[in-house]
Amino acid sequence: MYGLLLVLFVFIICPGFCAYLVYNLGIAGFAAAFSFTICWLPFDRYNKLEGFKEYNNTNPLYVRGFLIKKSPKSKLLCKLKGIYYCQIISAILMCCVFIYLGYYYLNGFQRIFHLEIIFTICFTILFIARLFFQSYYLWCYHEAYRYSQNKNGIWTPFSFIFKGNGGDILKSFSCNYHIDFEKIMETVKESCKTNNYTFSESYKIDDKAELSFFTRHFSNKLDVLSLVHVDMLEIEHWDKFNEIFGVYWKCFVKEKYEFEEARFTFLLCIDNQCKQLRRIDIGHSIDQKKGRYRLPAVLSYYDNDTLTINSNCSRRRGQKQYNEMREELLSILKVPET
């Protein structure tokens, strides 16, 4: 039903509406019709942003405070504050235009040119504002996936990992890996010694979630490997993971090493299926930034012990680092890349 209404609006109502205003008000009518139409285009329909509708910390636009407090009931109203207010203002201005048209008809088609100039300026400014907010929100969204940090300036690598748009360089790696977590820990500790990693610390969130970190520093490069084990992944876990990473970073990295490039690889081992894994199934790329590179891998025990490594690089940044990190992780886990 919504799709049919959208087609009617775009191809029938909107062109007729524009023609009517242009015929009666000329340039002012064109500015009003065009600006009003742009303001009410469904932003979240033609920009397929992963997590765009989520009112939680998995949505970078929500974290930045760009969403209105409550999700609007109407699908035509945008959730983003700037665009939402552009829609409201455009509706108010359009009501003023129709009031002016009523005056225009009742007074023998007598026009007030100064008022029409004001309408033209207002709708032009509104049009520019609408395009600005759209571009700005898209930029903020993509920047968050490239690099994010907390209020203390510490990298938060567990934020905004899997994005729903972009182009893949390599296909995601997937295989069966029938090894329990305790055995994986032993394998990783053994391989890390060979690869010059040192075990840093293990942290427990609760009885069913823990993180372990391994660190390697060479020249101007820092490598961090983390094993994460959870019974069932929840939205709240991402913030807790970042908090623990912040503690690890301050204790074992910040004052100890100097480096220009940091690479973070983590293996997320999950016992039970959960909604959060739908985001991980998206195998699309993200840009990496500021010398910070991430490689997420997931071991799903509930899904026949499936190990998955997404293609976490883009055509512009991080392809070389991604290849090296993926090769090293598979080597550490003693998994041949087929």
Side-chain angles (χ1 to χ4, degrees), residues 177-184 206-210 228-234 237 241 267-277 280 297-306:
Y177 193 61
H178 303 291
I179 302 177
D180 60 36
F181 183 74
E182 288 73 19
K183 181 62 177 177
I184 292 175
D206 49 43
D207 293 337
K208 297 182 179 180
E210 60 179 305
V228 185
H229 185 212
V230 293
D231 178 56
M232 181 178 292
L233 185 65
E234 303 289 350
H237 278 120
F241 293 162
L267 175 62
L268 181 61
C269 304
I270 306 176
D271 294 330
N272 296 298
Q273 188 172 12
C274 54
K275 293 181 180 179
Q276 278 296 295
L277 288 186
I280 297 173
V298 179
L299 177 58
S300 308
Y301 284 119
Y302 65 87
D303 186 21
N304 198 26
D305 300 347
T306 301

Side-chain angles (χ1 to χ4, degrees), residues 111-147:
R111 300 174 68 174
I112 306 175
F113 289 101
H114 291 297
L115 184 59
E116 291 184 20
I117 291 172
I118 293 174
F119 280 142
T120 302
I121 294 173
C122 289
F123 277 108
T124 301
I125 292 173
L126 197 61
F127 166 72
I128 294 171
R130 168 64 171 82
L131 294 185
F132 166 77
F133 281 122
Q134 176 174 321
S135 300
Y136 178 65
Y137 289 142
L138 286 173
W139 180 81
C140 290
Y141 178 87
H142 294 306
E143 280 296 294
Y145 277 90
R146 290 170 188 148
Y147 177 80

Side-chain angles (χ1 to χ4, degrees), residues 14-33:
C14 185
F17 174 68
C18 293
Y20 171 75
L21 289 178
V22 171
Y23 176 77
N24 287 279
L25 300 178
I27 294 175
F30 174 79

Side-chain angles (χ1 to χ4, degrees), residues 198-309:
T198 57
F199 173 72
S200 297
E201 188 62 88
S202 288
Y203 302 88
K204 280 197 173 184
I205 296 177
D206 49 43
D207 293 337
K208 297 182 179 180
E210 60 179 305
L211 289 82
S212 299
F213 293 94
F214 300 82
T215 311
R216 179 178 66 189
H217 179 257
F218 178 75
S219 186
N220 288 324
K221 188 175 74 172
L222 177 77
D223 292 289
V224 179
L225 173 65
S226 178
L227 286 182
V228 185
H229 185 212
V230 293
D231 178 56
M232 181 178 292
L233 185 65
E234 303 289 350
I235 290 177
E236 295 77 14
H237 278 120
W238 298 116
D239 287 338
K240 293 177 181 178
F241 293 162
N242 279 323
E243 289 176 10
I244 290 176
F245 182 87
V247 173
Y248 154 78
W249 194 263
K250 285 192 283 187
C251 294
F252 296 95
V253 174
K254 191 174 182 180
E255 303 297 333
K256 191 173 181 180
Y257 302 117
E258 292 184 2
F259 52 89
E260 296 178 357
E261 180 180 299
R263 302 181 180 188
F264 178 61
T265 302
F266 71 88
L267 175 62
L268 181 61
C269 304
I270 306 176
D271 294 330
N272 296 298
Q273 188 172 12
C274 54
K275 293 181 180 179
Q276 278 296 295
L277 288 186
R278 290 183 303 177
R279 297 170 56 78
I280 297 173
D281 290 337
I282 299 170
H284 291 291
S285 63
I286 67 171
D287 283 341
Q288 314 268 11
K289 193 176 181 183
K290 291 190 176 182
R292 300 291 187 264
Y293 301 94
R294 298 177 293 172
L295 179 70
V298 179
L299 177 58
S300 308
Y301 284 119
Y302 65 87
D303 186 21
N304 198 26
D305 300 347
T306 301
L307 173 65
T308 303
I309 304 175

Side-chain angles (χ1 to χ4, degrees), residues 9 17 21 30-41 86-87 89-95 123 126-127:
F9 176 79
F17 174 68
L21 289 178
F30 174 79
F34 186 73
S35 178
F36 182 82
T37 302
I38 293 298
C39 285
W40 285 86
L41 281 176
C86 283
Q87 291 177 322
I89 294 172
S90 69
I92 294 172
L93 283 175
M94 191 56 71
C95 288
F123 277 108
L126 197 61
F127 166 72

